[in-house]
Amino acid sequence: MKKSSFLFALSPICAMLAVPGVWAGVLTETPLAINPTVPSNVIFPISVEFPTAVTASYFGTNDYSNRTEYLGIFNPDKCYEYQNVTGSEWFKPVAMATDRKCNNAWSGNFLNWASMTGLDQFRVAMTGGNRYRDTETETVLERTHMSDIPDESGQLQGGEGSNFPHKTPSAASLAGAVPTDFANVTRIVNLHNGVKMSIAYRNRNGNNATTTFYVRAVVCDQSVGGLAGMAKENCVPYGPESRRIYKPVGQIQKYGEKMRFGVFSYFISNSIDNAVMRSKGKFVAPRKWTASGSTDNPNKEWDAETGIFVTNPDPADAAASRGGAVANSGVINY
C-alpha cells in the first residue's frame, strides 16, 4: 500500500514532465503572493558633475538639419526671439514653425541642437526640465550649467573634442534656423560658459561680432499655438478652469503618487565617503498612497493647484543635513 500510494503521488508530475505542452504559456511577472498595489521604490544613483554636466546631447558640429527633430528645453516646432531685459533674459516663443523653419527668428529645433547637454534630456524626461522661473504666470527652463569654475587642480572640466564640441553650422543649414542678423554664424561655444552660449558671426557690415545668450526657454505659453502648440513641452493643467495654469512635467510627477523616489549621488570632496543620500525614498506628489487609500502628503514637492515646485519640502531633513547646508530639499530640487 505504501508503494502504490507513493507512485500515485508522483504520477501527475511525471505526466507533466512527459508532455511539454502542459507548461506552454507566459508566466506572470507579478509575484502571486504579493498585493499588486504595493508601491514601487525608485532610487536614482546619478552623476551630475563631470563629465555628465558638460557633455553635449548632440555631438555633430555641422550636421544640423530641419528634417531631423532635436529635443531639449526648446519646442522644436516653435520659433523664438531673444528677450533681453535685465532679470528677464531668455528665448520666448513668437510663432509656430513650418517644417521646423522660422521667418527671421530662432528655431527651437536649432537651439536644441546647438546648446543641449545630455543632462538636460534627463531633466526634461524626469521632471519637465530645470526651472529658472516658476510662477503662476511664467515658467522658464534653463540649460545645465556648463562648468566655468576651475577644479581643485585649477583646470576647467571638459574638453571640446571629447565633451561638447564647438558648433560650426553650414550657411545652408542656417536658412530658417536663425534670425536674419545671424545668417552668417561661424561658431557657437557652450563649453565653460555656464548657462550661456556664445555665438560668433559676421554682421551685415561684414565685420566679426560675438553675442552671448542665456540658454533659457519660456514654456507652456498658450499664446503661441494654443494647447496643441504645447504638446511637445509636456505641459499639464493645474487649478480650476477659471485660472488654469500649465506646467511642464516628467515621469516623477506622473508617478509621484504611486511610487516612492529617492536620490543618491557623487559628493565632490574627499572629506566623506561617497555616495551621499540627497533625498531619502519618499512620495513626492501632493497626495500619497497608503494601505487605506490616497491621502494628503505633508512633504509634497509641488503645489496641487499651481504645479509650482516647493522650495523646501523636507525641512526636517534639510535642518539635519551636514552643517545644515541644504536649503532646497527634495528629489526634484536636487
Side-chain angles (χ1 to χ4, degrees):
M1 292 297 293
K2 290 183 179 180
K3 183 176 182 180
S4 61
S5 176
F6 178 71
L7 290 174
F8 177 78
L10 285 179
S11 60
I13 299 175
C14 294
M16 287 187 287
L17 290 174
V19 185
V22 174
W23 294 95
V26 179
L27 294 176
T28 177
E29 295 182 1
T30 303
L32 300 179
I34 295 180
N35 187 333
T37 60
V38 172
S40 301
N41 294 296
V42 180
I43 301 298
F44 295 107
I46 58 178
S47 170
V48 291
E49 33 70 57
F50 177 81
T52 311
V54 296
T55 300
S57 182
Y58 304 104
F59 263 80
T61 59
N62 59 359
D63 60 349
Y64 175 74
S65 171
N66 68 294
R67 294 186 295 273
T68 300
E69 183 177 76
Y70 301 95
L71 302 178
I73 66 173
F74 298 95
N75 188 325
D77 294 330
K78 285 187 176 181
C79 303
Y80 295 78
E81 68 176 13
Y82 191 70
Q83 181 174 309
N84 190 0
V85 179
T86 301
S88 302
E89 295 184 55
W90 48 60
F91 290 90
K92 183 178 178 64
V94 291
M96 296 299 296
T98 301
D99 295 328
R100 306 189 191 100
K101 285 190 172 184
C102 301
N103 180 23
N104 194 27
W106 295 96
S107 160
N109 199 52
F110 175 80
L111 290 172
N112 283 335
W113 172 84
S115 65
M116 290 294 97
T117 71
L119 187 54
D120 291 309
Q121 306 287 26
F122 177 76
R123 282 171 162 167
V124 169
M126 292 295 106
T127 70
N130 177 35
R131 298 183 189 177
Y132 169 76
R133 179 164 293 186
D134 189 17
T135 70
E136 293 190 18
T137 57
E138 279 183 319
T139 307
V140 181
L141 301 182
E142 183 176 75
R143 198 267 311 279
T144 294
H145 186 276
M146 302 283 289
S147 179
D148 55 353
I149 303 173
D151 60 20
E152 295 175 354
S153 65
Q155 299 295 315
L156 290 173
Q157 294 182 326
E160 177 194 347
S162 58
N163 297 109
F164 206 125
H166 300 330
K167 304 287 185 173
T168 54
S170 66
S173 70
L174 292 174
V178 298
T180 304
D181 288 345
F182 293 87
N184 294 305
V185 170
T186 55
R187 188 173 70 166
I188 301 173
V189 178
N190 292 275
L191 195 63
H192 306 144
N193 269 338
V195 295
K196 300 177 181 179
M197 66 175 174
S198 176
I199 299 183
Y201 61 101
R202 288 187 297 276
N203 60 26
R204 293 181 177 183
N205 297 323
N207 299 320
N208 293 326
T210 301
T211 301
T212 300
F213 301 94
Y214 283 95
V215 186
R216 299 170 181 154
V218 174
V219 297
C220 299
D221 181 359
Q222 292 188 68
S223 66
V224 177
L227 295 179
M230 300 191 302
K232 293 183 179 178
E233 298 167 40
N234 301 316
C235 300
V236 168
Y238 290 90
E241 190 172 353
S242 59
R243 57 179 184 83
R244 188 59 49 85
I245 298 170
Y246 287 84
K247 292 290 181 180
V249 303
Q251 295 301 300
I252 290 179
Q253 288 100 321
K254 182 178 179 180
Y255 295 102
E257 188 175 331
K258 300 177 181 178
M259 295 181 175
R260 285 184 288 256
F261 294 92
V263 184
F264 280 78
S265 78
Y266 174 72
F267 185 74
I268 310 178
S269 174
N270 294 323
S271 60
I272 61 175
D273 293 334
N274 286 307
V276 174
M277 183 176 71
R278 303 294 183 172
S279 181
K280 65 185 179 183
K282 51 169 283 195
F283 288 104
V284 296
R287 296 184 65 79
K288 65 178 182 178
W289 182 93
T290 67
S292 57
S294 177
T295 186
D296 287 339
N297 182 8
N299 300 105
K300 65 185 179 183
E301 297 204 1
W302 65 88
D303 186 89
E305 292 294 312
T306 65
I308 295 173
F309 289 153
V310 177
T311 302
N312 193 21
D314 305 309
D317 292 346
S321 63
R322 191 182 191 214
V326 175
N328 52 342
S329 60
V331 174
I332 293 178
N333 284 334
Y334 182 75

